[in-house]
Amino acid sequence: MSINIRFWDRLARRYARMPLRDPETYERKLAMTRAHLSPGARVFEIGCGTGTTALKHAPHAGHVTAIDCSANMIGIARDKAAAEGIANVTFEVASLEDMPDTPGAWDMVMAHNVLHLLPDRPGALLRIHRMLKPGGAFVSSTACAARAPWLFRAIVRTGHALRLLPLFNFLTEDGLKAEIRAAGFEIVEELLPPGGRSALFLIARKQT
């Protein structure tokens, strides 16, 4: 079992109990995303965690397929879907590389709190671009922590080197946007709340 899976499996139940740090911004991101959804939309989410965002968007889409590498996270997500009576979401234990690379299969792809954790972000962005229909939306929220205190960065890097923490790439906002544009997307909306404490939220569109 990889370090990523072990880490997220151990964290799953505590993660599910964590309160939202900024509920107002989260609700604003949900509203911005829904403006790009249609009732029949096919939505794919990478790194869905315990499924909160997938379940929030399910009533506004045709079907949501959401994946995570952690079986414990997916188990909690499935329990939440059953408890809420939401039937148009499929939760699967998988990574992006496990999924069929079918061109143009999805109207929207979401990646929240995951891009900074990927070892091959440019490759993942190109794959996401292929998965989307022309004009499809790519919605992401990403920690851009390149300017975080040096001690925090040192602890995270040391923890990863000791196989205690997953990979964490310290990105800049401009660098991430450049990578998304290089993959063939046009960024149409962005949100970075004042203070830099929240993740950079982007809505990008696959150019036709």
Side-chain angles (χ1 to χ4, degrees):
M1 184 182 294
S2 74
I3 179 176
N4 285 348
I5 296 173
R6 290 198 308 271
F7 177 85
W8 296 113
D9 272 348
R10 288 197 303 267
L11 186 65
R13 296 206 174 276
R14 184 157 62 92
Y15 181 84
R17 295 192 299 268
M18 289 178 182
L20 288 172
R21 185 174 62 180
D22 187 349
E24 182 179 348
T25 297
Y26 180 67
E27 291 297 328
R28 186 176 174 188
K29 291 176 180 180
L30 292 177
M32 291 170 68
T33 302
R34 286 172 188 156
H36 295 265
L37 283 173
S38 62
R42 298 187 71 238
V43 180
F44 182 76
E45 184 177 8
I46 305 159
C48 66
T50 57
T52 299
T53 300
L55 294 170
K56 292 281 189 183
H57 288 311
H60 307 274
H63 193 274
V64 181
T65 297
I67 66 169
D68 199 279
C69 66
S70 167
N72 290 352
M73 292 278 192
I74 291 296
I76 294 170
R78 288 171 176 165
D79 288 345
K80 287 163 64 174
E84 296 176 30
I86 297 176
N88 66 327
V89 179
T90 301
F91 289 109
E92 299 182 14
V93 180
S95 65
L96 180 61
E97 294 77 14
D98 298 326
M99 302 302 295
D101 191 9
T102 306
W106 306 93
D107 298 288
M108 177 181 286
V109 174
M110 300 189 298
H112 297 302
N113 302 312
V114 68
L115 291 180
H116 58 287
L117 303 175
L118 299 179
D120 180 16
R121 193 171 48 261
L125 291 170
L126 289 173
R127 188 181 182 96
I128 291 167
H129 188 271
R130 287 195 301 273
M131 293 167 66
L132 281 165
K133 295 178 180 178
F138 173 46
V139 183
S140 63
S141 188
T142 309
C144 294
R147 290 182 294 278
W150 71 267
L151 181 58
F152 170 78
R153 286 180 278 139
I155 290 171
V156 170
R157 287 172 175 145
T158 301
H160 178 64
L162 295 174
R163 300 187 60 78
L164 299 174
L165 296 174
L167 174 69
F168 190 110
N169 295 294
F170 290 92
L171 309 179
T172 66
E173 290 87 354
D174 288 344
L176 177 62
K177 288 189 283 188
E179 288 182 356
I180 289 173
R181 292 187 180 106
F185 290 102
E186 175 191 7
I187 296 172
V188 295
E189 293 191 69
E190 62 180 273
L191 174 64
L192 182 63
R197 295 184 356 181
S198 296
L200 174 64
F201 179 75
L202 298 172
I203 299 179
R205 193 162 296 282
K206 179 177 179 175
Q207 297 181 3
T208 56

